[in-house]
Amino acid sequence: STMPTTPVSEQPQKEAVKQATEAPKYGGKLTLTLSGDVNSFDAINSNIPDVIELTNEELWTGDWTRGPAGTGEVAWDISGADVWEYKTGALADRWEISAPDSATFYIRKGVRFALDPKSEASRLVAGRELTAEDVVYTIKRVVASPTARLGQQPELKEVEISAPDKYTVVFKYKPETKAEALYRFADYAQIIAKEVVDRYGDTKNWRNQVGTGPFLLTDHVPGSQVAFFRNPAHWRTNPIGLGKGDQLPYLSELQLLIIPDASTREAAFRTGKTDIFQASWEAFPRFTKENSQLKWVKLVSASGGAPLSINMKNPRFQDIRVRKALMMATDWESLVKYYFGGDAQLVTWPIMYNSQYAAMYLGLDDPDTPESVKELYRYNPEKARQLLKEAGYSSGFKTTLETSSTSSNVDYAAVIKDMWAKAGIELEIKTYESGVWTLRMQQLLWQELALSSLGGFGAQLSAMTAMYGPSWVNQPRVDDPVIAKAYEEVRYALAYKSQNEAMRLYRELMKHVLAQAYTIPRPAPPAYQMWWPWVKNYHGEQQVGTWNYRTWTTYLWVDQELKKSMGH
């Protein structure tokens, strides 16, 4: 039997979360965790510090009213989601992106940099209004920096950025750069004040952080915590629900505890020292057994793991019969049932299913999915042997699977080895410590099969890096004229038509790509986002928009009486 892979409604939230029926209250402190320290508070450092969005804002952001707090169209449950239709204004209150070679953003009037009287850098900026010049300055600065994430994308250097007046920013680009320019400039550049950099050289030190965001950064104790207070003059109001029109944020304080050890993070949540926690499907029952009051939603874990890539430069694997045999020798049903907790997504390469990108996903139970795709997901070791025989391997063959030595990869490889043995495929597993393995992937040194990298959503739509072009993300080294043609069509649609049209074309391409079996997907198990009942107006959101880590903290509030009555 085929396992259904496209969730029909993709709303497991409904059981666990009801629309807020209580009026929000101001005050209270929310405590979350970071698994590693923040080494810099400046976006010119390539590993973008994922706390900047709390203090410094971008041109646009995800629309809170389209997520679980409102219409429920999108779950806001993954990072890197960049669907323009679900955007709303942050520092820009409107924009025009219909032209293929330019975009105009109109800056929201009256947005001021936060004034924290205790901060020298903040007193320097003196609560002045943010203008188009700040946007132009910030973006040019990060694009010019070789250590910044944006500085490492050569095509962005060719974009012209200008401010024709105080409240207008114009980007001019080649049509083929449109998607990338919008992904990065409207949503990845947190706007800062030039005078801070002029005075201090950069904003790496937390004391130099001055922004327009919902929170003020008030302390960073390395290895211990990052602390924030409410920005009393933040411009944003609650767009929906009983608190509609309230000035945001509701919280008085936000604390991020730095806890590298997973079991310590778990203990902190269990004892109510932290408010929100994500558990694996294995750990989840322990929590709910202990405490029936916890709120939770089920997420598809995007970190489900690397798929099993097939080296298409290797003559043996250029024969599609061999690749199909590997798929049919995989017992998908028992993987889902016993190995991934009974509830995993099957088709996860080149993208997984997600509510925001549903339009580009082809699921096994979709009515228009070709039989040639469906049959690959039916366990059939006899048919696999038959295909190998036709391909000239009547007694099977030996091959090598390379992977990192992380236990999840080693265990998974062992399961695949057992399954494939039944079809006459003898697998030798070679492991490397993770640093060495990363290099082997980046230099495409593995020769036959590998558990290797996974590409994200927006990048797969605009660049198709997992299956096209010279990028190392194209681990299977696919070189397919059908994909090359579709790549041009998708890029054209992004520039001249719409993102939705581009997604439709991508989904159509999947009928060909999945049937080719270039990569054997690894099923993605569920994860569970849990929170204490005193955390209100939270529905399991991960990132609202794309790279806006934890900006959902702007909208939620803490019921301090309830917390007290529960003994915390």
Side-chain angles (χ1 to χ4, degrees):
S1 72
T2 19
M3 300 292 301
T5 54
T6 310
V8 183
S9 64
E10 171 65 342
Q11 287 287 331
Q13 286 96 331
K14 289 293 175 266
E15 307 149 35
V17 178
K18 291 187 176 65
Q19 295 292 338
T21 49
E22 316 157 64
K25 296 177 186 139
Y26 285 95
K29 174 181 174 180
L30 186 77
T31 304
L32 308 173
T33 55
L34 293 172
S35 56
D37 209 343
V38 180
N39 300 317
S40 163
F41 292 86
D42 195 326
I44 61 170
N45 294 78
S46 65
N47 243 353
I48 187 152
D50 63 1
V51 295
I52 303 183
E53 294 87 351
L54 297 167
T55 54
N56 297 68
E57 297 176 293
E58 292 133 339
L59 290 173
W60 63 18
T61 185
D63 187 342
W64 181 251
T65 69
R66 308 284 289 273
T71 58
E73 293 164 85
V74 291
W76 294 139
D77 56 351
I78 53 160
S79 64
D82 216 337
V83 179
W84 304 335
E85 184 189 332
Y86 300 125
K87 298 293 182 192
T88 190
L91 293 178
D93 57 7
R94 57 199 172 89
W95 48 83
E96 289 157 18
I97 58 172
S98 50
D101 59 355
S102 68
T104 305
F105 285 80
Y106 299 96
I107 303 305
R108 191 182 294 277
K109 292 178 180 167
V111 172
R112 299 189 164 274
F113 282 99
L115 182 52
D116 176 0
K118 296 195 186 102
S119 155
E120 184 189 293
S122 181
R123 293 197 305 270
L124 173 71
V125 183
R128 71 167 174 82
E129 189 181 19
L130 177 136
T131 68
E133 284 300 337
D134 295 304
V135 177
V136 172
Y137 166 74
T138 300
I139 295 176
K140 284 186 169 173
R141 176 178 180 259
V142 285
V143 170
S145 167
T147 54
R149 174 78 187 267
L150 271 55
Q152 292 163 11
Q153 292 186 246
E155 72 276 18
L156 297 180
K157 295 192 192 319
E158 295 169 20
V159 181
E160 285 175 38
I161 309 163
S162 62
D165 64 52
K166 192 178 174 184
Y167 298 108
T168 311
V169 176
V170 177
F171 301 126
K172 285 204 176 301
Y173 36 67
K174 293 178 179 157
E176 61 269 25
T177 307
K178 174 181 176 176
E180 213 47 43
L182 290 174
Y183 291 155
R184 298 306 183 196
F185 294 165
D187 215 325
Y188 206 82
Q190 300 82 18
I191 308 307
I192 63 172
K194 180 175 185 287
E195 55 266 48
V196 175
V197 178
D198 288 347
R199 167 80 56 95
Y200 303 104
D202 56 46
T203 64
K204 290 174 186 173
N205 188 318
W206 68 268
R207 290 181 175 84
N208 303 338
Q209 207 62 20
V210 184
T212 57
F215 295 98
L216 307 169
L217 179 53
T218 51
D219 195 19
H220 172 224
V221 182
S224 171
Q225 65 149 352
V226 189
F228 300 86
F229 281 177
R230 178 179 192 267
N231 173 4
H234 186 50
W235 59 270
R236 195 186 297 266
T237 58
N238 192 342
I240 196 170
L242 292 179
K244 189 171 180 177
D246 286 354
Q247 191 204 337
L248 295 173
Y250 291 110
L251 298 168
S252 291
E253 293 180 58
L254 174 61
Q255 179 185 35
L256 304 178
L257 296 177
I258 297 153
I259 308 178
D261 178 64
S263 54
T264 311
R265 283 199 300 275
E266 184 174 317
F269 177 71
R270 274 174 196 283
T271 52
K273 290 187 178 67
T274 60
D275 299 307
I276 298 175
F277 182 76
Q278 190 173 118
S280 65
W281 64 268
E282 294 106 325
F284 176 66
R286 294 206 299 272
F287 286 92
T288 44
K289 205 175 283 170
E290 258 174 48
N291 191 332
S292 59
Q293 295 171 299
L294 291 174
K295 305 276 187 189
W296 55 270
V297 297
K298 190 170 68 183
L299 310 166
V300 169
S301 170
S303 57
L308 201 155
S309 299
I310 299 171
N311 182 3
M312 289 299 299
K313 294 276 182 272
N314 187 307
R316 172 186 286 152
F317 298 119
Q318 285 168 355
D319 189 326
I320 192 169
R321 293 170 298 192
V322 174
R323 304 197 302 274
K324 282 181 166 180
L326 298 181
M327 287 289 289
M328 292 177 188
T330 306
D331 186 347
W332 297 97
E333 204 165 329
S334 74
L335 274 179
V336 167
K337 207 164 165 184
Y338 304 113
Y339 196 79
F340 290 118
D343 190 12
Q345 197 183 116
L346 270 186
V347 182
T348 55
W349 182 91
I351 60 158
M352 298 170 61
Y353 174 83
N354 181 265
S355 52
Q356 293 161 73
Y357 287 95
M360 63 191 274
Y361 186 80
L362 185 70
L364 287 187
D365 49 356
D366 291 354
D368 60 337
T369 301
E371 181 55 34
S372 57
V373 172
K374 291 179 183 174
E375 70 164 356
L376 298 176
Y377 290 87
R378 287 189 205 113
Y379 181 47
N380 193 340
E382 296 75 35
K383 176 91 187 275
R385 277 186 181 276
Q386 182 55 40
L387 283 166
L388 290 177
K389 198 174 171 183
E390 289 168 24
Y393 303 101
S394 49
S395 52
F397 62 83
K398 287 183 183 177
T399 186
T400 306
L401 172 63
E402 300 185 48
T403 178
S404 76
S405 54
T406 54
S407 59
S408 59
N409 279 354
V410 174
D411 295 350
Y412 184 68
V415 172
I416 296 293
K417 177 178 174 147
D418 285 351
M419 285 176 183
W420 286 4
K422 296 184 181 72
I425 301 154
E426 199 183 314
L427 212 50
E428 184 199 342
I429 299 166
K430 274 192 185 166
T431 62
Y432 302 85
E433 72 79 26
S434 62
V436 176
W437 178 240
T438 301
L439 280 176
R440 286 188 75 75
M441 282 199 295
Q442 290 173 345
Q443 295 167 10
L444 297 173
L445 296 176
W446 59 271
Q447 289 308 306
E448 294 178 296
L449 305 167
L451 290 175
S452 64
S453 92
L454 189 62
F457 296 86
Q460 291 319 313
L461 183 62
S462 63
M464 296 191 188
T465 44
M467 56 184 176
Y468 174 78
S471 155
W472 70 270
V473 183
N474 180 0
Q475 284 286 312
R477 305 158 222 195
V478 177
D479 183 3
D480 179 335
V482 178
I483 297 175
K485 182 171 180 281
Y487 170 82
E488 297 301 336
E489 288 167 0
V490 166
R491 300 280 278 198
Y492 184 86
L494 282 171
Y496 293 93
K497 293 178 182 172
S498 68
Q499 216 177 10
N500 285 339
E501 172 60 11
M503 286 200 255
R504 189 192 66 75
L505 290 167
Y506 186 99
R507 185 181 181 280
E508 201 52 40
L509 172 65
M510 287 304 103
K511 294 173 184 176
H512 165 78
V513 170
L514 297 182
Q516 295 302 309
Y518 290 131
T519 282
I520 297 167
R522 183 187 322 205
Y528 292 85
Q529 189 78 354
M530 299 182 294
W531 61 98
W532 285 92
W534 58 73
V535 177
K536 302 291 184 177
N537 204 27
Y538 182 64
H539 322 83
E541 289 88 353
Q542 300 292 300
Q543 292 188 17
V544 179
T546 170
W547 307 104
N548 327 50
Y549 296 85
R550 300 183 200 84
T551 51
W552 40 265
T553 53
T554 311
Y555 302 94
L556 52 82
W557 51 281
V558 170
D559 186 331
Q560 296 168 87
E561 284 91 56
L562 177 60
K563 186 172 179 178
K564 211 178 214 163
S565 73
M566 290 178 71
H568 293 284

